[in-house]
Amino acid sequence: MDSKEVVLLKKALERQKRARQQAEKILEEKSHELYEVASHLRESNAKLENLLSEKTSELDGVFINIIDPYVVMDLSFNVVSMNLSAKNFLGYDNNIEEVNLWKMVHKDFMEYTIESFSSLKEVGKLKNYRAKILVKDGVEKWVEINASLVYNKEKLPVAAQGIVRDITQEMEVRELLSEQKRQLDVIVNSSPLGIILADSNKILKVNYTMTSLLGYTLNSFMKMNVKDFTDKESIELANEFSTKLNNGEIDNYTIHQKFIKSDGEKLQVKLSVNAVRNIYREISYIVMMVEDITQQLEAEERLKSEREKYSGIIANMNLGLLEANREGVIQMVNQSFCDMIGFEESELLNTDAKDFVSLEDKNKVADNIKTRANGNSDSYEVHVITKSGEKRHWLISVAPRYNKNHEVIGSIGITLDITEQKELELQKEKLVKDLENSNQGLQEYAHIVSHDLKSPLRSISALATWLSDDYKDVLDEGGKQNLELMQEKVASMDKLIHGILEYSTANSSALDNSKVDLNSVIADIGETIYIPDHVQLKIPKSLPTIMADRIKVHQVFQNIIGNAVVHIEREVGLVEVLYKDTGDYWQFTISDNGVGIPEEYHKKIFDIFQSIGNNERSTGIGLSIVKKIIDRYQGKVWVDSVVGEGTQFYFTIKKDHNELGNYENSSSDKKGR
């Protein structure tokens, strides 16, 4: 043995002596404390002291060399000894205070601790006891304890010793991993995509979506390979990529496949495959994501069909179509647009749309391009200069064009050449203006003619009166009758002139609309016109109050009622005024039991100077005035009559009438609206 070994042994002996002295001092202090414990523990403590005394050397070595917390307790969980690590970990010092390990056990682990301690007493050892305890200040810690019993000379257990390992961090990590696994399971099972985990031979796991997509049970999937439910037409493509994956050429791929469901139906899917490799680049697992794209492909097919259809329509429609960017630069035109403007498509693309409009309209187009950036649509007219230099009038309807993010990227416009219509419109305006001037002249002429004609008529009437007065004693009966006949003809002529004047102004003067009580109008007519004694004018049901020109409405009712009362030859004559509300219109009926009107006159009577028979009282103007007034109220007038039974005149007045309405369809031969 060399000198170095001797030196080392001496140093080790010295350390052992110091440790022994320290241990003896600790045991002496502990013995003093145990002596003062309650009387019911004295016997057990005495036995324990004997045991500890016998094994002093063994325990001293353990206390000094163990890094983990080390505790000795009696069979009532009272700590007898504990090393420095135990004191630091638990926060208690048995030399200063009484320490009972049972009181540290978390409430959730008390039953488990009782069972474990019972096992310790039966077997003599306790391995991997894991529980949660409360150390100093109530801090929770996870511990793992390996313990064994301590026996006395009689081989009876008197204490237990154990090493305590702090596994709090380990348990937290395990709990975190467990929680992450639960979350991952939730994500996988809630995914709208089907998920398959497989190795090279079989399926290891599928999620709920996958079972729903194909209809197989989980147990069925566990017995299958992906090829078992892949359509034969798709296997060749899948094999091609699978080979590259196995050879390490690729780590993932995405393809379209056809899978066969449990009921035999084929499902179009997008299959995304990813390889999970180990450190040697060998495939450990294959993760597959399955998306049902059956409806998507069907929609794409329909969209393609619609696109082809509308592309054909756009290319061949008579309307011009163009697309431009936000600055108004042309990006697409159809053939009709090219035909309308005379340029080829290649000449139009990437040019400014403003280059093809007249100088006075350039600013208008520029302003409209700016409004398109705000998402506004509009229509406007411009003058366009064709390639041949011809100036054409176009109507343009433009709307903003958006990208997939709903951002305005330009505009799309439809163009219509309205040059001919514009020319016709200008011609129409000129004709209307000429017609207005002509009507104005005719009205003025009618007033002049009526005034000029009435003046000699008044003179003739005066002369006839003077002759009758001056020569009444000289004239015989024939002469007197001739003078009376002359007066009647003069009166008839005056009535005719008055009718012509009314007809000429029937649709020229402005309508003075106000509330008109028709019951009052009929009452006034009954008092002002001549009604034979055998004829009655009745209103079976009260008439409404309407918005109209009172004078015009009075003319309508008076002309029809006036015609009716003088054409009744029955002993008891009856004229009734009726109405009904048809929604947008008031419909009125003036019915009489007179002689009736032959069918061939049902249309003619509304034309000027048309009357029935040789009735000299009729000027043939009254009903034509009625028609002109009803036209202004956007209504219709017609007649039903049977000769010998009576006549019913019908006419309608629009409630919300427009004096500038369209009269072209107001033919008198059609019945009410």
Side-chain angles (χ1 to χ4, degrees):
M1 180 179 299
D2 57 18
S3 59
K4 288 185 179 180
E5 291 179 349
V6 172
V7 172
L8 291 174
L9 288 173
K10 285 182 179 181
K11 289 182 178 180
L13 182 61
E14 287 295 322
R15 285 197 298 272
Q16 187 175 9
K17 286 180 180 181
R18 286 195 296 273
R20 182 186 297 276
Q21 291 173 358
Q22 185 178 3
E24 287 175 353
K25 184 179 179 180
I26 292 172
L27 289 175
E28 184 179 351
E29 291 175 355
K30 186 62 181 178
S31 297
H32 179 71
E33 291 176 4
L34 291 175
Y35 182 79
E36 295 176 353
V37 176
S39 59
H40 68 278
L41 294 175
R42 287 176 182 173
E43 183 178 354
S44 60
N45 285 341
K47 294 178 181 179
L48 182 59
E49 286 175 3
N50 291 334
L51 177 64
L52 292 174
S53 177
E54 294 172 359
K55 297 189 176 183
T56 298
S57 299
E58 180 182 349
L59 291 176
D60 284 347
V62 171
F63 266 57
I64 291 172
N65 297 308
I66 292 178
I67 298 175
D68 290 328
Y70 177 84
V71 179
V72 178
M73 71 176 186
D74 62 20
L75 299 183
S76 297
F77 295 95
N78 295 305
V79 175
V80 176
S81 295
M82 56 196 310
N83 66 356
L84 182 60
S85 296
K87 293 176 182 179
N88 292 335
F89 176 64
L90 298 177
Y92 297 101
D93 187 345
N94 67 304
N95 295 324
I96 301 174
E97 56 189 325
E98 292 183 2
V99 182
N100 187 282
L101 296 181
W102 173 257
K103 294 179 180 179
M104 296 185 187
V105 177
H106 192 280
K107 62 180 181 178
D108 294 342
F109 293 86
M110 286 183 173
E111 185 176 349
Y112 166 62
T113 301
I114 292 172
E115 293 175 357
S116 298
F117 192 69
S118 299
S119 175
L120 173 64
K121 289 194 291 185
E122 289 178 7
V123 179
K125 292 182 179 181
L126 180 64
K127 294 186 67 176
N128 300 330
Y129 163 84
R130 292 192 171 196
K132 191 184 291 184
I133 64 171
L134 302 174
V135 299
K136 193 74 170 182
D137 298 328
V139 177
E140 294 183 356
K141 294 284 187 179
W142 279 93
V143 296
E144 180 182 272
I145 299 175
N146 289 286
S148 62
L149 291 176
V150 178
Y151 299 92
N152 61 13
K153 294 178 180 180
E154 288 77 23
K155 303 298 182 180
L156 296 175
V158 294
Q161 63 178 348
I163 296 175
V164 181
R165 189 163 68 89
D166 182 3
I167 61 170
T168 303
Q169 188 174 4
E170 176 186 335
M171 294 302 292
E172 288 176 351
V173 171
R174 181 175 295 183
E175 181 64 27
L176 179 61
L177 291 175
S178 178
E179 179 62 24
Q180 289 177 343
K181 183 178 182 302
R182 286 195 296 270
Q183 292 175 356
L184 183 59
D185 287 342
V186 170
I187 293 172
V188 169
N189 286 319
S190 302
S191 171
L193 301 179
I195 300 175
I196 302 173
L197 180 65
D199 58 19
S200 58
N201 297 316
K202 64 178 182 178
I203 294 173
L204 303 176
K205 185 177 178 62
V206 296
N207 67 343
Y208 174 76
T209 304
M210 199 64 220
T211 62
S212 300
L213 282 176
L214 297 186
Y216 299 107
T217 64
L218 285 173
N219 290 334
S220 298
F221 271 116
M222 297 303 103
K223 301 173 184 177
M224 301 172 75
N225 189 288
V226 176
K227 292 182 179 180
D228 295 337
F229 50 79
T230 303
D231 184 66
K232 292 180 180 180
E233 297 177 0
S234 301
I235 287 179
E236 184 177 349
L237 178 62
N239 287 339
E240 178 184 341
F241 282 94
S242 180
T243 300
K244 292 181 179 180
L245 197 74
N246 292 329
N247 293 338
E249 298 177 35
I250 57 175
D251 288 328
N252 56 72
Y253 62 88
T254 299
I255 56 174
H256 286 185
Q257 295 274 275
K258 284 184 182 178
F259 281 173
I260 302 173
K261 299 172 66 173
S262 60
D263 59 5
E265 182 184 352
K266 293 184 179 180
L267 190 71
Q268 293 276 4
V269 301
K270 182 169 77 173
L271 179 65
S272 299
V273 181
N274 287 270
V276 180
R277 302 181 186 274
N278 59 22
I279 59 174
Y280 305 108
R281 294 289 296 166
E282 298 171 340
I283 295 178
S284 299
Y285 302 104
I286 296 175
V287 180
M288 303 180 183
M289 310 291 285
V290 181
E291 180 184 357
D292 181 2
I293 59 171
T294 305
Q295 293 182 350
Q296 176 186 334
L297 292 178
E298 290 175 353
E300 289 177 356
E301 190 62 31
R302 289 196 300 270
L303 182 62
K304 180 181 178 182
S305 176
E306 291 294 316
R307 186 176 294 150
E308 291 176 352
K309 179 175 71 174
Y310 287 110
S311 295
I313 294 174
I314 290 172
N316 296 288
M317 67 182 184
N318 292 326
L319 297 175
L321 178 72
L322 82 157
E323 290 183 3
N325 63 15
R326 289 172 62 95
E327 288 71 37
V329 176
I330 297 174
Q331 296 180 324
M332 188 278 287
V333 292
N334 69 345
Q335 186 57 46
S336 294
F337 186 91
C338 297
D339 295 340
M340 289 169 63
I341 202 165
F343 289 94
E344 296 294 329
E345 181 181 1
S346 58
E347 297 176 291
L348 295 170
L349 296 181
N350 299 316
T351 58
D352 194 331
K354 297 189 294 295
D355 294 344
F356 303 98
V357 300
S358 62
L359 183 63
E360 63 269 20
D361 286 334
K362 287 186 183 295
N363 290 335
K364 182 192 294 186
V365 175
D367 291 341
N368 277 278
I369 290 174
K370 291 179 181 177
T371 63
R372 210 80 59 246
N374 299 324
N376 298 324
S377 303
D378 56 11
S379 297
Y380 56 96
E381 296 179 8
V382 294
H383 287 96
V384 177
I385 310 301
T386 67
K387 187 174 184 178
S388 62
E390 183 183 4
K391 193 173 185 180
R392 305 292 292 179
H393 202 91
W394 282 11
L395 174 64
I396 303 178
S397 295
V398 194
R401 191 160 55 93
Y402 300 93
N403 61 13
K404 63 180 181 180
N405 298 321
H406 204 68
E407 299 169 337
V408 177
I409 59 172
S411 57
I412 181 169
I414 295 176
T415 61
L416 175 65
D417 190 330
I418 57 171
T419 306
E420 285 74 18
Q421 293 90 321
K422 205 67 180 177
E423 291 175 353
L424 290 173
E425 187 178 317
L426 294 173
Q427 292 177 12
K428 178 182 176 182
E429 290 176 359
K430 183 177 183 303
L431 289 173
V432 169
K433 188 174 182 179
D434 291 345
L435 184 60
E436 289 175 353
N437 293 333
S438 176
N439 286 339
Q440 182 67 28
L442 287 173
Q443 290 169 19
E444 293 173 357
Y445 179 74
H447 280 281
I448 293 171
V449 169
S450 64
H451 179 271
D452 291 347
L453 289 177
K454 283 186 176 183
S455 180
L457 284 178
R458 285 193 291 270
S459 298
I460 293 171
S461 177
L463 288 172
T465 301
W466 295 341
L467 286 173
S468 178
D469 291 341
D470 294 344
Y471 298 99
K472 60 184 176 181
D473 296 332
V474 178
L475 294 172
D476 57 10
E477 287 301 319
K480 292 177 180 180
Q481 288 178 2
N482 287 334
L483 288 175
E484 290 176 1
L485 182 60
M486 184 184 295
Q487 288 283 32
E488 289 179 3
K489 294 297 183 181
V490 169
S492 177
M493 188 63 180
D494 184 71
K495 186 176 181 182
L496 178 61
I497 293 170
H498 181 73
I500 292 172
L501 184 61
E502 283 190 340
Y503 181 82
S504 67
T505 59
N507 63 350
S508 59
S509 60
L511 296 175
D512 182 17
N513 290 323
S514 60
K515 291 183 178 180
V516 179
D517 182 356
L518 296 182
N519 299 286
S520 173
V521 170
I522 302 303
D524 290 346
I525 292 172
E527 293 177 359
T528 55
I529 68 171
Y530 168 73
I531 300 178
D533 294 337
H534 69 288
V535 177
Q536 288 184 319
L537 176 60
K538 288 187 176 182
I539 303 175
K541 182 175 68 172
S542 181
L543 298 173
T545 297
I546 66 173
M547 288 297 296
D549 186 314
R550 183 181 180 86
I551 294 175
K552 301 297 184 187
V553 170
H554 191 284
Q555 282 181 289
V556 170
F557 280 97
Q558 179 174 313
N559 279 315
I560 297 176
I561 293 172
N563 277 340
V565 296
V566 298
H567 290 91
I568 299 176
E569 297 177 353
R570 298 175 187 267
E571 292 183 4
V572 178
L574 178 63
V575 177
E576 292 183 321
V577 182
L578 308 166
Y579 89 97
K580 68 178 179 179
D581 187 345
T582 64
D584 293 334
Y585 292 83
W586 297 110
Q587 179 175 307
F588 298 96
T589 304
I590 299 175
S591 175
D592 67 65
N593 60 350
V595 296
I597 301 173
E599 186 174 355
E600 61 267 24
Y601 287 97
H602 287 186
K603 295 180 181 179
K604 292 181 180 180
I605 57 175
F606 295 106
D607 297 334
I608 190 170
F609 302 134
Q610 294 293 326
S611 60
I612 302 170
N614 297 316
N615 189 342
E616 295 184 358
R617 294 180 181 176
S618 174
T619 62
I621 297 176
L623 292 179
S624 62
I625 293 174
V626 167
K627 184 179 182 304
K628 293 191 76 171
I629 294 173
I630 295 303
D631 285 350
R632 294 189 67 178
Y633 284 100
Q634 300 175 43
K636 291 183 180 292
V637 58
W638 68 99
V639 64
D640 280 342
S641 182
V642 178
V643 175
E645 295 183 9
T647 302
Q648 294 81 41
F649 277 92
Y650 301 92
F651 63 90
T652 59
I653 293 177
K654 191 174 184 180
K655 294 179 181 178
D656 183 19
H657 57 269
N658 174 11
E659 188 178 345
L660 299 178
N662 183 2
Y663 310 133
E664 293 178 359
N665 297 323
S666 57
S667 57
S668 61
D669 59 333
K670 294 184 181 179
K671 297 187 177 182
R673 299 181 184 236

